[in-house]
Amino acid sequence: MASPNRVSVDGAQHLFPCFQRAEVSFTHGEGAWLVGTDGKRYLDFATGIAVTGLGHSHPILVEELHRQGGKLWHVSNAVRIPQQEALARLLCEKTFAQRVFFNNSGAEAVETAIKTARRYQYASGRPERYRVITFEGGFHGRTLATIAAGGRHEYLEGFGPVAPGFDVVPFGDLDALQTACGTETAAILVEPIQGESGIRKHDVAVLQRIREFCDQQDILLIFDEVQTGVGRTGHLFACQAAGVDPDILAAAKGLGNGFPVAACLASEEVGSCMAPGTHGSTFGGNPLAMAIAAKVLKIVSDEAFLITVRDKGRRLLDRLLTIVAEYPGAFSAVRGEGLLLGLRCVPPVKLVVAAAQANGLLTVTAGDNVMRLLPPLILSDAEIEEGLARLRRTAEACRQATSGR
Ligand SMILES: *Cc1c(COP(=O)(O)O)cnc(C)c1O
């Protein structure tokens, strides 16, 4: 009899080949663990790229999925949706925001943010202001507008004319920012900590200066917190730790713990300019997504929970510093905030991530030869130790591979 874990289909040739997938797949997950179709248990420090922050099969979320799933999934935004109003209210209670629009993915939430910034300028009698300044290394998604916002050549190549209206300046360069800002500038779009390009954090002072600059110029500040948000850094949103409020904020990844849901948050003044008919979404904010995201947010926005995330993040960072010192041939630096951590690798990061996977530890590659460690926020102390042990074995494997060359 075939093992129940066996995956019997093989249809990879029917998929767009745009992902470089690892030769591994999973049957189920429990908390910080994933069980492979090979029967092997993997410690999940990838969390589907900062998504499953509360771990796999969280009992409260599974129960909510069944409860709401048995009642009502979808109705459309042509009617009032109490679950949407409840989640919007919760998000506004916990943040700078007074208005929320719900999307299904990070890129869509960023698109909503960009449209809202442009519309705000238009509604304020400054329709010439449509340009958005972004920082090099930023990642904002894969739609036509968000690849233009990111400005990365590899993501733009072959996709026709670059969507106009984006000015990309060097990372953290405030002089370049001021030079780029003109009479057509509507907003500045920033990831408080760049995730995709290797856990690169803007100094708090830089974020504060950007806020002041936006106020002086009467332009809007948009934070892309798709990766940094929903507790990942040990704060509900990273900007709250910096004490800098944006006018608009995009959230997604961790918000549904794997159920696709995203949100664009805005101040009253900015959000209220999106008059009836200006924007829309078929799926965005449906009752099922809203019910699950509300459960996630209730858990993650609790200050006592966030303190545990900060504690775990600090402990893990300290221990990673020791590993960096012990294995200079494998790792050269560690950085990050909360449980959004990056280990700069000495060998090509792809090899290190593959070695970690072979040692039962799932991680994610990032730019600047950085291996991202994005464990679930519910990680236990024992799981931190287990992760470190697996990381040590990974470093050993890298050392042997290099000395064997
Ligand atoms: C992942 C990510 C996005 C895009 O989110 P999708 O859900 O993949 O569209 C946008 N911005 C940041 C900072 C991200 O990390």
Side-chain angles (χ1 to χ4, degrees):
M1 206 176 83
S3 141
N5 280 342
R6 192 74 159 266
V7 173
S8 55
V9 287
D10 185 7
Q13 74 275 19
H14 298 300
L15 297 172
F16 277 27
C18 50
F19 296 107
Q20 287 187 308
R21 298 173 194 270
E23 276 302 326
V24 64
S25 57
F26 306 102
T27 56
H28 62 287
E30 305 152 359
W33 296 87
L34 277 168
V35 180
T37 43
D38 54 4
K40 196 169 145 182
R41 284 170 65 82
Y42 294 82
L43 188 54
D44 187 7
F45 277 24
T47 51
I49 317 186
V51 169
T52 52
L54 297 179
H56 302 283
S57 322
H58 191 292
I60 293 176
L61 302 180
V62 172
E63 192 198 321
E64 187 63 6
L65 180 73
H66 285 131
R67 194 195 62 79
Q68 185 62 41
K71 285 182 18 180
L72 185 64
W73 294 11
H74 180 86
V75 284
S76 102
N77 286 301
V79 299
R80 282 184 72 167
I81 301 175
Q83 295 85 351
Q84 205 179 105
E85 295 177 20
L87 180 59
R89 192 177 170 151
L90 190 59
L91 280 165
C92 292
E93 272 168 22
K94 300 284 185 182
T95 66
F96 74 98
Q98 271 110 40
R99 296 274 181 175
V100 185
F101 186 94
F102 290 104
N103 295 102
N104 314 291
S105 67
E108 268 183 288
V110 176
E111 291 254 355
T112 301
I114 296 164
K115 282 183 72 177
T116 303
R118 288 183 178 176
R119 186 74 191 189
Y120 168 78
Q121 299 292 4
Y122 171 87
S124 308
R126 298 181 292 242
E128 72 284 0
R129 296 197 171 197
Y130 70 98
R131 304 192 70 83
V132 175
I133 302 174
T134 64
F135 286 104
E136 235 168 66
F139 179 78
H140 303 291
R142 298 295 201 117
T143 61
L144 289 170
T146 54
I147 56 176
R152 213 170 125 181
H153 174 74
E154 302 95 292
Y155 295 166
L156 288 162
E157 189 180 10
F159 295 111
V162 179
F166 297 94
D167 300 301
V168 186
V169 302
F171 181 83
D173 188 336
L174 293 172
D175 292 334
L177 182 81
Q178 291 190 16
T179 310
C181 187
T183 52
E184 296 184 338
T185 303
I188 298 173
L189 168 62
V190 195
E191 280 174 273
I193 303 171
Q194 291 188 343
E196 212 72 16
S197 66
I199 318 293
R200 300 200 303 165
K201 189 181 168 181
H202 285 284
D203 287 338
V204 171
V206 167
L207 295 179
Q208 285 166 347
R209 291 268 309 277
I210 294 173
R211 174 72 271 179
E212 286 162 18
F213 182 69
C214 286
D215 292 341
Q216 284 160 14
Q217 303 292 319
D218 227 343
I219 57 179
L220 300 179
L221 176 57
I222 306 170
F223 280 148
D224 180 347
E225 292 231 28
V226 168
Q227 189 156 160
T228 52
V230 198
R232 181 50 52 189
T233 67
H235 301 271
L236 183 57
F237 290 104
C239 65
Q240 295 174 320
V244 178
D245 282 345
D247 302 290
I248 307 175
L249 182 150
K253 288 192 165 85
L255 189 55
N257 206 61
F259 197 96
V261 54
C264 177
L265 283 59
S267 67
E268 176 62 28
E269 196 189 358
V270 173
S272 60
C273 75
M274 296 297 276
T278 54
H279 196 41
S281 172
T282 298
F283 295 126
N286 82 19
L288 189 53
M290 296 295 99
I292 292 165
K295 287 287 178 198
V296 172
L297 198 67
K298 273 182 196 139
I299 297 170
V300 171
S301 65
D302 177 41
E303 190 54 31
F305 178 84
L306 290 169
I307 289 170
T308 68
V309 177
R310 298 205 279 277
D311 286 348
K312 285 170 201 167
R314 231 171 273 129
R315 266 198 48 210
L316 187 51
L317 184 79
D318 278 353
R319 303 290 305 277
L320 290 171
L321 283 166
T322 316
I323 291 187
V324 170
E326 267 174 74
Y327 299 97
F331 305 118
S332 63
V334 56
R335 59 200 186 208
E337 194 72 43
L339 291 171
L340 180 67
L341 296 168
L343 265 176
R344 193 141 192 269
C345 300
V346 176
V349 60
K350 266 189 191 169
L351 301 184
V352 183
V353 167
Q357 188 195 308
N359 282 286
L361 180 68
L362 302 170
T363 60
V364 190
T365 59
D368 199 26
N369 212 41
V370 164
M371 174 161 100
R372 264 181 291 180
L373 302 177
L374 310 165
L377 312 180
I378 46 98
L379 188 75
S380 72
D381 290 346
E383 285 159 348
I384 291 182
E385 295 310 318
E386 187 56 41
L388 291 162
R390 289 174 187 219
L391 204 55
R392 279 210 162 77
R393 292 203 283 279
T394 303
E396 292 284 354
C398 291
R399 181 151 73 188
Q400 275 157 22
T402 0
S403 62
R405 268 212 297 256

